[in-house]
Amino acid sequence: MAILRATATRVVYAVILLLAVLVLNFTMMHMAPGDVADTIAQSMGGADAEIMEQIRKDYGLDQPFPVQLGTYIGKVVHFDLGYSFFYNQPVVKLILERLPATLLLVISAQLIAIILGVVLGVISARNPNGLASHFVTGLALFGYAAPVFWTGILFLILFSLKLGWFPTSGMRDVTTTGGWFAEALDIAHHAVLPVFTLCSIYLALYSRTCRSSMLEVLGSDYVRTAKAKGLSASQVVYKHALKNAVSPVITLAGLQLSAVISGAVLVETVFSWPGLGTLAFQSIIARDTPTILGILFFSALVVIVGNLLTDLALRIVDPRVRSKQ
Amino acid sequence: MPALLKVENLRIELNTRDGISPVIDNLSLELYPGETLSFVGESGCGKSMTALAIMGLLPDKVGRVAGGRILFNGENLATASNERLNEIRGNDISMIFQEPMTSLNPVYSIGEQIAEVLRRHQALSNKAAWSKAIELLDAVRIPDPQSRVSDYPHQMSGGQRQRVMIAIALACEPKILIADEPTTALDVTVQAQIFDLMRDLGRQSGSAIILITHDMGAVAEMAEHMIVMYAGRKAESGPVQKVIESPRHPYTQGLINCVPHLLAELTEERPQLAEIDGIVPSLKDFGRDECLFASRCEFADTLCRSQRPPGFDFGDDQIAACWRAGEIH
Ligand SMILES: Nc1ncnc2c1ncn2[C@@H]1O[C@H](COP(=O)(O)OP(=O)(O)OP(=O)(O)O)[C@@H](O)[C@H]1O
Ligand SMILES: [Mg+2]
């Protein structure tokens, strides 16, 4: 019951937050020079002042700002994000087409970074002077120093161009046949480089965090109690210590989610991955306002849902969080 | 009757920034089944280190047994494998720690933390272990154990947490229970309850108890034998009654003089409360060949400052490591 009520509160907060994001996005785009009429005129190959006036009238652009904002929010509530004149498609359709690719990238990168980070963190905490520990330190240095697009290009040159292990761009090979399994395999093959590129920055962050929290937990009184019970070393580490040590990693992963999404924009661009990132990039250049607003809205949605999930995960791991509500 | 636990000339070395120091030097003791032995001494005298050495839980890479033997039923724990120690820990020898607030794992229910040790050593099923956990909570006098069993440590007070620790420690009816200052972190009313509990339950399970404490009152009430530790060495040892009534070592005398109610009992009127001037020498000086108490002792002479005193026997098992113990008392 308590968990339901807590979740409900969170959802209410999330909705308020989304509204705020909508208002902010719309205001910002409104203040930026250029509008839909310019885009349409551009796609028509130019238009005179009169036609521009007509277009503005048709799309309600001549209305005062609060009315425009109200209309926009009203539409968004009905899941109508407008029409992209650049792509000649409804924005919702455009985004839903691209969203799975981005989610695949972001979720796999996050999961791999968390799991690998925790594993590396635990190994290096158990043996602070061992090989894994030095690897984590080196990785952290690399992860903090290297920009993600540079890492991407590096991977691309090494693993695609030189070694030829992975494709250079895109998400699927159109020539692939043989049912859904072959297709999934093909997508996975394409995903390896972008996922690991995106993963690389966060892996360093998570493994260092896990290492230091694990070191602290291993020296704690309750770990000594666990040893005093006669439990085996692996039970002490994986049952008693790890569950305490992962909380900071989960919290951090939640906080990093928005950074992961903006990282995805760069990675998608480097690898021509057909997700929201490339879409965002193209529509910014084309000044396709409805699409940009739609993408911003969806990114906010993903971050908010991600934070809800983070909260849920923390509650599962730590009873103290559970009883705080 | 053979001794249950026999520690012979134990030496524990700590690897500190200042080099290697003997935090315990030449400690011997014997513990018989069902008996209570008390360890007293100021902070930093090495009481916890002794307990951890018996458990095989000396801090990793810092502490090690450098000499002597720890014989449990004739088996030397100092050289036993970790697997063997894991069979003994929590089963034959268990320990209650100084810090009840942090000694329980915050992310598991107390029922799980009790049940775990039963599953580990008595091969009980999940269900059987859980109901035994409820029984144990009842035994350590936690009200409404049926519903408290699924509580988490943060939902309990310090006294209740220490009761849970006692339940864990006594779950497998160990032959030896080591209690390291089990009440230091608790308030006075709770202290008495915890001591009562340990005495009653210890008696029921027939466990021998090693009680580490600052509380001379608790020593007088609970223990048959006592060891007074000073700077990693045994200052005095013997039957509790004899040591408290006629302490031979000036340090023991000082400790007893610190306790108001003991004196009130012994002498009717309340003399001014004494305290021992000075502090325990620092760890790096523990190895010196002299009486380490000399700098704080009003009776100290040149002999005390130039040679480590051996133990002198004063009959009835009372032994005091003081050059002048024969003259002063
Ligand atoms: N992990 C450690 N690393 C280095 N030195 C330590 C460590 N643990 C304890 N010591 C030192 O060992 C000495 C003895 O410590 P110990 O914990 O046995 O004292 P104690 O008699 O139990 O004191 P208290 O009454 O405060 O619990 C102290 O000087 C302490 O500073
Ligand atoms: Mg101690």
Side-chain angles (χ1 to χ4, degrees):
Chain A
M1 240 8 247
I3 194 156
L4 274 185
R5 196 170 336 119
T7 315
T9 325
R10 293 275 153 169
V11 170
V12 171
Y13 281 139
V15 169
I16 296 173
L17 198 62
L18 265 182
L19 266 174
V21 168
L22 275 181
V23 172
L24 203 69
N25 285 348
F26 190 81
T27 312
M28 267 184 344
M29 292 314 289
H30 190 84
M31 290 191 309
D35 61 11
V36 181
D38 292 323
T39 320
I40 298 174
Q42 215 172 37
S43 66
M44 295 192 315
D48 60 24
E50 204 176 312
I51 297 175
M52 291 288 274
E53 203 59 42
Q54 187 57 44
I55 297 173
R56 291 214 162 89
K57 204 166 173 168
D58 288 349
Y59 289 96
L61 297 176
D62 54 346
Q63 300 287 322
F65 173 70
V67 178
Q68 285 189 41
L69 179 63
T71 322
Y72 176 67
I73 291 177
K75 280 185 176 168
V76 170
V77 169
H78 293 97
F79 232 67
D80 174 5
L81 291 175
Y83 192 84
S84 163
F85 298 95
F86 184 71
Y87 292 98
N88 268 322
Q89 271 187 32
V91 172
V92 171
K93 184 159 174 275
L94 204 56
I95 288 178
L96 288 183
E97 256 172 36
R98 304 290 197 102
L99 188 65
T102 297
L103 286 184
L104 176 70
L105 187 63
V106 167
I107 292 175
S108 356
Q110 269 283 53
L111 280 184
I112 292 177
I114 292 172
I115 292 170
L116 220 56
V118 167
V119 169
L120 282 174
V122 170
I123 295 175
S124 58
R126 286 184 77 175
N127 190 359
N129 294 317
L131 202 64
S133 198
H134 293 306
F135 178 68
V136 166
T137 313
L139 190 75
L141 213 62
F142 178 82
Y144 291 136
V148 61
F149 68 87
W150 182 80
T151 313
I153 293 171
L154 201 74
F155 280 6
L156 206 58
I157 293 174
L158 183 63
F159 295 108
S160 303
L161 299 180
K162 286 259 188 280
L163 297 171
W165 290 352
F166 301 102
T168 52
S169 67
M171 191 168 116
R172 36 167 65 105
D173 191 342
V174 282
T175 60
T176 302
T177 51
W180 63 268
F181 185 73
E183 216 170 291
L185 219 59
D186 179 46
I187 293 179
H189 191 210
H190 279 82
V192 171
L193 286 185
V195 164
F196 275 91
T197 305
L198 190 53
C199 193
S200 66
I201 345 166
Y202 306 102
L203 177 61
L205 201 58
Y206 300 159
S207 57
R208 275 198 63 90
T209 306
C210 184
R211 179 179 187 266
S212 65
S213 72
M214 195 68 188
L215 273 176
E216 193 189 317
V217 168
L218 284 179
S220 70
D221 291 339
Y222 53 83
V223 163
R224 193 181 53 191
T225 304
K227 289 180 186 162
K229 286 175 172 177
L231 302 179
S232 67
S234 63
Q235 264 180 314
V236 170
V237 171
Y238 293 103
K239 179 175 177 189
H240 282 271
L242 185 58
K243 203 172 172 199
N244 282 282
V246 291
S247 290
V249 182
I250 295 175
T251 311
L252 187 68
L255 289 174
Q256 289 296 322
L257 189 58
S258 52
V260 176
I261 290 176
S262 49
V265 175
L266 294 174
V267 173
E268 286 183 8
T269 310
V270 171
F271 290 95
S272 310
W273 186 259
L276 284 182
T278 37
L279 185 66
F281 185 70
Q282 287 157 355
S283 36
I284 288 170
I285 292 189
R287 244 194 238 152
D288 185 358
T289 314
T291 311
I292 298 172
L293 278 178
I295 291 171
L296 287 176
F297 174 73
F298 261 87
S299 321
L301 197 66
V302 170
V303 169
I304 286 170
V305 170
N307 284 339
L308 275 175
L309 291 179
T310 308
D311 258 26
L312 209 66
L314 277 179
R315 295 171 152 277
I316 291 170
V317 168
D318 192 339
R320 284 165 299 184
V321 179
R322 239 175 283 161
S323 64
K324 242 182 218 143
Q325 299 295 323
Chain B
M1 198 166 30
L4 188 58
L5 181 75
K6 193 167 179 194
V7 174
E8 294 175 346
N9 310 100
L10 181 66
R11 180 182 170 93
I12 303 172
E13 288 179 351
L14 281 190
N15 215 337
T16 64
R17 238 169 280 135
D18 301 327
I20 292 176
S21 325
V23 66
I24 291 293
D25 198 7
N26 200 22
L27 174 74
S28 300
L29 64 88
E30 283 178 11
L31 180 71
Y32 291 89
E35 180 194 41
T36 299
L37 169 70
S38 198
F39 260 74
V40 294
E42 280 163 292
S43 199
C45 282
K47 306 183 298 292
S48 297
M49 284 298 147
T50 310
L52 292 174
I54 295 170
M55 292 293 289
L57 290 176
L58 286 173
D60 252 359
K61 297 192 181 86
V62 178
R64 69 182 189 102
V65 173
R69 300 196 296 173
I70 302 170
L71 299 172
F72 171 67
N73 278 336
E75 180 181 0
N76 188 2
L77 301 183
T79 53
S81 72
N82 210 39
E83 286 71 32
R84 177 66 189 130
L85 285 174
N86 275 339
E87 287 170 13
I88 294 174
R89 287 195 276 245
N91 190 24
D92 295 317
I93 307 180
S94 45
M95 181 163 174
I96 305 169
F97 297 96
Q98 215 165 328
E99 308 84 6
M101 297 312 277
T102 51
S103 289
L104 289 168
N105 194 329
V107 301
Y108 290 104
S109 69
I110 55 166
E112 166 58 23
Q113 296 187 57
I114 302 172
E116 176 180 50
V117 73
L118 291 162
R119 294 196 307 259
R120 163 73 178 89
H121 293 295
Q122 307 204 327
L124 292 190
S125 68
N126 283 340
K127 228 178 130 202
W130 190 260
S131 36
K132 183 81 191 288
I134 297 174
E135 278 170 38
L136 283 161
L137 282 183
D138 193 40
V140 295
R141 295 171 206 156
I142 287 190
D144 197 11
Q146 198 81 33
S147 71
R148 296 309 299 267
V149 68
S150 41
D151 275 4
Y152 288 89
H154 71 272
Q155 292 162 304
M156 314 202 105
S157 70
Q160 287 173 327
R161 291 187 206 189
Q162 200 61 299
R163 285 162 196 264
V164 173
M165 284 299 292
I166 294 175
I168 293 173
L170 292 178
C172 301
E173 307 198 334
K175 300 199 176 64
I176 301 175
L177 170 67
I178 304 174
D180 185 2
E181 302 188 33
T183 62
T184 305
L186 305 173
D187 69 60
V188 186
T189 47
V190 181
Q191 290 185 357
Q193 296 167 3
I194 295 287
F195 280 131
D196 283 350
L197 194 62
M198 278 179 37
R199 195 181 36 208
D200 294 355
L201 294 181
R203 211 167 274 159
Q204 268 171 39
S205 61
S207 307
I209 299 177
I210 295 179
L211 174 65
I212 299 173
T213 180
H214 292 290
D215 186 344
M216 278 291 188
V219 174
E221 220 170 283
M222 308 241 330
E224 287 95 45
H225 282 86
M226 66 189 285
I227 295 178
V228 180
M229 294 290 295
Y230 187 76
R233 300 175 186 176
K234 193 151 86 172
E236 185 161 3
S237 63
V240 168
Q241 179 135 22
K242 182 131 193 268
V243 172
I244 288 185
E245 269 169 19
S246 54
R248 292 290 177 160
H249 198 290
Y251 181 60
T252 318
Q253 294 173 357
L255 282 182
I256 291 169
N257 285 339
C258 292
V259 186
H261 64 271
L262 273 180
L263 279 173
E265 260 173 35
L266 294 175
T267 61
E268 302 292 281
E269 94 260 18
R270 284 187 151 212
Q272 205 184 344
L273 205 55
E275 81 178 85
I276 312 171
D277 286 331
I279 50 163
V280 182
S282 78
L283 201 49
K284 66 178 195 303
D285 294 328
F286 273 28
R288 290 161 85 153
D289 185 21
E290 59 176 36
C291 173
L292 293 173
F293 187 61
S295 60
R296 300 169 73 183
C297 179
E298 54 181 309
F299 308 106
D301 59 17
T302 45
L303 180 59
C304 304
R305 294 196 180 87
S306 59
Q307 213 175 329
R308 178 174 172 173
F312 295 99
D313 196 333
F314 292 90
D316 287 336
D317 258 358
Q318 186 182 14
I319 294 172
C322 171
W323 286 116
R324 308 195 53 189
E327 317 156 34
I328 46 168
H329 62 275

